[in-house]
């Protein structure tokens, strides 16, 4: 693997990004709007105020969730 | 009202409007990464107009339920949640031991917990004692449409409770909702009965009328039941 790249798991799938990527930049790359979603990195919830600061790293397990229909 | 099983978000919205419901339950699931621009429920049903009630559906222990509801709070910014911890895939009955465990932790963490529970009056009381905002006993299994199978237990739960009791699960048609309200419930949570009706919007409206009718019957105080006939006309005096 290229040294400047990292591999992360997002919602169970493998993605490759450049190093030092923030959550905010990751969402932009994935074309996901940040409203009404929650993000968990390695089972820790990342608050929205941290999206522009928190950097993802190699092998991080990231969950991005939203609301769907349910009873 | 629930938001599962509808053919479209629009149908869900129209049925919601027709039902007069003020709260809509939602589930928390993974974003579809491959289709980030696909329409979302939150685009169609306005969270400023309706109160979103995230649930912990499909969670089988306290830990999973707490994790799910914390994600929901982060996603929506709301602390009112519907706690459900399922114990069995076939019946979808609640695991009450795990439900109580989760409720205590969530309440301590500042959540307002509406708890899906069995119709056991003692366990329902324990949920109230640990700080739940509302008690939501099942009428019958989720999605069964079998109505309220144990009215006596439901009535005991209502009589014992100092917090709102909402029948959650089992309502199949309008009369079931009406019976729940006649018993003294403060509300009903309905999903399948509306979503799976041939005309969900019309059924949504029939639920509105049933709930209003049942509530008024409860508030007006029904007549006593008698074993034998009591004539409505005075005895003949000629």
């Amino acid at each position: 693997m290229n040294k400047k790249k990292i591999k992360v798991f997002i919602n169970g799938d493998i993605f490759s990004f450049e190093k030092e990527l923030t959550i905010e930049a990751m969402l932009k790359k994935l074309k996901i709007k940040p409203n009404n979603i929650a993000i968990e990195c390695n089972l820790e919830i990342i608050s929205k105020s941290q999206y522009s600061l928190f950097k993802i790293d190699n092998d991080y397990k990231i969950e991005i969730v939203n609301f769907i229909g349910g009873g | 009202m629930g938001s599962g099983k509808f053919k479209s978000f629009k149908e869900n919205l129209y049925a919601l409007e027709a039902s007069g419901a003020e709260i809509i339950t939602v589930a928390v699931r993974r974003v579809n990464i491959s289709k980030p621009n696909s329409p979302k429920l939150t685009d169609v049903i306005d969270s400023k107009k309706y109160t979103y009630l995230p649930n912990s559906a499909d969670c089988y222990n306290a830990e999973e339920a707490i994790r799910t509801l914390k994600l929901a709070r982060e996603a929506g910014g709301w602390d009112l949640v519907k706690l459900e911890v399922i114990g069995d895939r076939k019946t979808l009955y609640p695991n009450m031991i795990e439900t109580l465990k989760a409720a205590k932790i969530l309440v301590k963490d500042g959540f307002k917990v509406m708890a899906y529970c069995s119709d056991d009056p003692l366990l329902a009381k324990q949920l109230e004692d640990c700080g739940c905002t509302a008690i939501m006993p099942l009428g019958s299994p989720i999605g069964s449409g079998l109505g309220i199978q144990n009215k006596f237990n439901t009535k005991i739960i209502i009589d014992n409770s100092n917090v709102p009791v909402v029948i959650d699960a089992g309502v199949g048609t309008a009369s079931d909702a009406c019976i729940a309200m006649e018993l003294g419930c403060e509300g009903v949570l309905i999903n399948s009965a509306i979503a799976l009706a041939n005309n969900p919007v019309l059924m949504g409206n029939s639920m509105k009328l049933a709930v209003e009718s049942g509530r008024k019957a409860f508030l007006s105080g029904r007549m006593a039941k008698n074993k034998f006939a009591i004539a409505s006309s005075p005895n003949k005096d000629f």
Side-chain angles (χ1 to χ4, degrees), chain A residues 23 26 39-46 54-56 60-63:
Chain A
I23 293 275
M26 178 193 78
I39 297 181
E40 200 185 59
C41 279
N42 301 330
L43 297 176
E44 288 286 327
I45 292 174
I46 311 299
F54 189 96
K55 288 171 183 169
I56 58 171
Y60 270 27
K61 289 183 177 61
I62 301 164
E63 292 287 338

Side-chain angles (χ1 to χ4, degrees), chain B residues 63-119:
Chain B
E63 196 184 348
E64 284 176 21
I66 292 164
R67 179 187 176 201
T68 301
L69 295 175
K70 281 185 172 177
L71 282 165
R73 180 168 65 178
E74 175 59 30
W78 316 301
D79 52 17
L80 184 69
V81 292
K82 178 190 161 186
L83 170 65
E84 55 178 297
V85 185
I86 302 299
D88 170 53
R89 282 205 184 274
K90 190 172 181 183
T91 60
L92 298 181
Y93 276 146
N95 179 329
M96 289 304 297
I97 295 166
E98 291 293 306
T99 301
L100 281 159
K101 197 169 136 189
K104 283 177 195 162
I105 295 167
L106 289 166
V107 167
K108 213 172 172 182
D109 197 13
F111 283 91
K112 293 186 181 76
V113 179
M114 298 175 74
Y116 165 64
C117 60
S118 62
D119 59 10

Side-chain angles (χ1 to χ4, degrees), chain A residues 12-63:
Chain A
D13 291 327
I14 298 174
F15 287 79
S16 179
F17 295 117
E18 65 272 27
K19 269 187 167 180
E20 303 286 302
L21 194 73
T22 63
I23 293 275
E24 190 177 69
M26 178 193 78
L27 289 175
K28 265 187 188 166
K29 278 187 181 292
L30 295 171
K31 294 179 180 153
I32 294 171
K33 290 176 190 162
N35 48 318
N36 291 127
I37 62 163
I39 297 181
E40 200 185 59
C41 279
N42 301 330
L43 297 176
E44 288 286 327
I45 292 174
I46 311 299
S47 69
K48 288 187 174 65
S49 61
Q50 294 297 304
Y51 285 2
S52 61
L53 305 169
F54 189 96
K55 288 171 183 169
I56 58 171
D57 209 341
N58 203 34
D59 284 334
Y60 270 27
K61 289 183 177 61
I62 301 164
E63 292 287 338

